[in-house]
Amino acid sequence: MRTAIFGGSFNPVHKGHIHLAESAMEELELDRIFFVPSGISPHRSSADYASGSDRLEMLRLACRGHDNFEVSDYELQSERVSYSIYTVEHFRRLYPDDELFLLVGSDMLLSFDKWYKFEEILKNVTLSVVSRQSGDAADLQKKAHELSAYGRIFISSSCPVTVSSSEIRKKIAKNSEWACYLDENVVQYIRLKGLYYHDALNEVS
């Protein structure tokens, strides 16, 4: 089978994440995608996060109706920092005969050679990149060429959806319009739980 891993904070999951997954599903002819919310992030303080259980539930709500989307709590259950290599190795053990793909946004590609054990990641997966902003095609192709020495890189041709979780959190905290960026079930969950309404406005993505 062709199996993709899509990791991230998903804080909260938004339509851009779902668009990225749908684009990859079609272009790569995937059989399934595992959304993997991060536990202990190597890049930011966990104080910026909604709880793991909340982020997991929002993902499950956003993935309803997508038969090929699954949600994994692997990183949330782990007690170590959520480096992608550990997650890749986990899915390689679970599905030794599958062709594995790792889905990332274009901003992640440009710094991918700074990731922990990035060479090992590329030995195990095809890195699939979906643009998150217009006009970055040249930079992406250049970086993909550099990284191709270590493994396979696929650049999606789909149009980007320019929305970020950090901007959504700021809009919620400022009581600006934000519901249009999220699945309606996720919107209801955030309102019910009161998530992000009191977050600091100057937090980073």
Side-chain angles (χ1 to χ4, degrees):
M1 294 183 70
R2 294 165 70 86
T3 298
I5 306 160
F6 186 11
S9 60
F10 300 113
N11 189 39
V13 57
H14 54 66
K15 290 181 178 179
H17 295 128
I18 300 302
H19 166 75
L20 188 156
E22 289 173 338
S23 298
M25 179 68 70
E26 180 178 352
E27 291 187 279
L28 296 170
E29 299 180 336
L30 300 173
D31 294 296
R32 57 190 172 188
I33 296 177
F34 284 94
F35 289 74
V36 188
S38 58
I40 303 172
S41 171
H43 303 300
R44 57 174 69 88
S45 169
S46 59
D48 295 336
Y49 285 18
S51 71
S53 60
D54 282 330
R55 290 182 289 120
L56 195 68
E57 184 59 27
M58 287 188 284
L59 269 172
R60 287 170 175 157
L61 291 170
C63 290
R64 281 182 180 176
H66 297 272
D67 294 338
N68 303 104
F69 290 0
E70 302 184 42
V71 181
S72 168
D73 65 355
Y74 166 72
E75 291 190 5
L76 293 175
Q77 296 300 323
S78 176
E79 295 182 354
R80 58 184 177 180
V81 172
S82 298
Y83 288 114
S84 293
I85 183 59
Y86 301 147
T87 304
V88 167
E89 290 173 342
H90 168 73
F91 280 94
R92 174 54 68 206
R93 288 191 297 270
L94 286 180
Y95 307 110
D97 298 323
D98 283 15
E99 184 174 359
L100 291 183
F101 299 79
L102 181 65
L103 308 185
V104 299
S106 54
D107 53 332
M108 295 292 99
L109 174 67
L110 297 178
S111 61
F112 191 78
D113 52 359
K114 303 295 191 297
W115 286 29
Y116 180 60
K117 293 189 176 181
F118 79 93
E119 303 99 327
E120 291 299 315
I121 296 174
L122 290 175
K123 287 179 182 178
N124 285 280
V125 303
T126 295
L127 191 65
S128 175
V129 183
V130 176
S131 179
R132 293 187 61 180
Q133 62 183 32
S134 300
D136 62 354
D139 289 338
L140 296 183
Q141 291 296 339
K142 179 181 177 182
K143 197 66 178 183
H145 178 72
E146 294 173 5
L147 290 171
S148 64
Y150 302 97
R152 292 172 296 176
I153 316 293
F154 173 82
I155 306 294
S156 170
S157 60
S158 66
C159 296
V161 175
T162 54
V163 58
S164 72
S165 294
S166 61
E167 288 301 317
I168 292 170
R169 295 195 301 271
K170 290 175 183 178
K171 287 179 180 293
I172 296 173
K174 292 188 292 186
N175 201 30
S176 300
E177 175 55 41
W178 55 274
C180 60
Y181 301 106
L182 308 174
D183 178 275
E184 61 182 13
N185 293 311
V186 175
V187 171
Q188 293 176 6
Y189 187 88
I190 288 173
R191 287 173 172 161
L192 179 66
K193 300 282 286 192
L195 301 178
Y196 310 119
Y197 284 94
H198 304 294
D199 282 6
L201 300 185
N202 61 349
E203 66 180 32
V204 295
S205 173

